[in-house]
Amino acid sequence: MQERKAPPNGTHAEQVSETWKHIPWRKLERHCFRIQKRIFRASQHGNQRAVHKLQKLLLKSQAARTLAVRRVTQDNQGKKTAGIDGKTALLAHQRLTLVQAIHPNQWPKKALPVRRIYIPKPGKQEQRPLGIPTIAERARQMLVKLALEPEWEAKFEPNSYGFRPGRSCHDAIEAIFKSIFRKDKYVLDADIKGCFDHAS
């Protein structure tokens, strides 16, 4: 019986997996950051035409699309949560396919519906509805976030902390402490019941 020899370069799946592993991520991040910095500066100067032009450049960029797919399928904590299509964290060849699929020229006219689940509210017996998009839709959303974030970071109030890059609740606590430790002040805690559940 003759011995079977393994193919010299391994299987196609292994080759694709190696291709994904050896992507120069630092280089891609630097490339995206350079464009984002230009968007930020153009927004600061009120040059809306340049902002839109640079955002389109970033959306079509291979580097930005690859980073968006990586963040959704590898870095994000919800990578194993499926949308209505049942897909979760993808294999390397599926990620590379998704990078091409989220190019703005390939976007569908209408997104797939979200998968609706209910999660408990902290300290209450009520449940809160949560919509989970498909993994492809999440990758598109991440790509758009990369383009929109620098524009609006240039316009946001310096003292806002919700969903801001590089900021956390600890920064908000520090700002509150610095504001009130010299003198007593009133604090208003407001909860708009079901606001986003019923907003049309």
Side-chain angles (χ1 to χ4, degrees), residues 66-81:
T66 307
L67 282 174
V69 169
R70 184 194 185 194
R71 289 180 185 179
V72 167
T73 60
Q74 288 184 284
D75 301 342
N76 196 289
Q77 289 184 347
K79 63 188 176 184
K80 294 183 179 178
T81 307

Side-chain angles (χ1 to χ4, degrees), residues 137-192:
E137 187 60 32
R138 276 179 268 169
R140 281 189 283 270
Q141 290 173 2
M142 179 59 70
L143 179 61
V144 171
K145 178 176 179 282
L146 289 173
L148 289 179
E149 201 167 60
E151 176 191 359
W152 291 99
E153 275 298 310
K155 298 178 181 179
F156 282 150
E157 288 289 329
N159 206 30
S160 68
Y161 300 91
F163 302 100
R164 300 279 300 276
R167 299 191 181 199
S168 69
C169 59
H170 301 290
D171 298 304
I173 292 168
E174 182 183 1
I176 292 168
F177 176 78
K178 287 179 177 177
S179 176
I180 66 173
F181 84 102
R182 295 174 187 269
K183 183 181 178 182
D184 292 340
K185 294 187 179 180
Y186 290 100
V187 176
L188 175 64
D189 182 16
D191 183 13
I192 305 172

Side-chain angles (χ1 to χ4, degrees), residues 73-111:
T73 60
Q74 288 184 284
D75 301 342
N76 196 289
Q77 289 184 347
K79 63 188 176 184
K80 294 183 179 178
T81 307
I84 62 165
D85 60 354
K87 293 180 181 177
T88 56
L90 307 176
L91 299 174
H93 70 277
Q94 293 171 314
R95 292 184 196 130
L96 290 171
T97 303
L98 185 56
V99 168
Q100 303 308 319
I102 64 170
H103 191 285
N105 293 342
Q106 306 292 329
W107 287 2
K109 291 183 179 178
K110 189 176 180 181

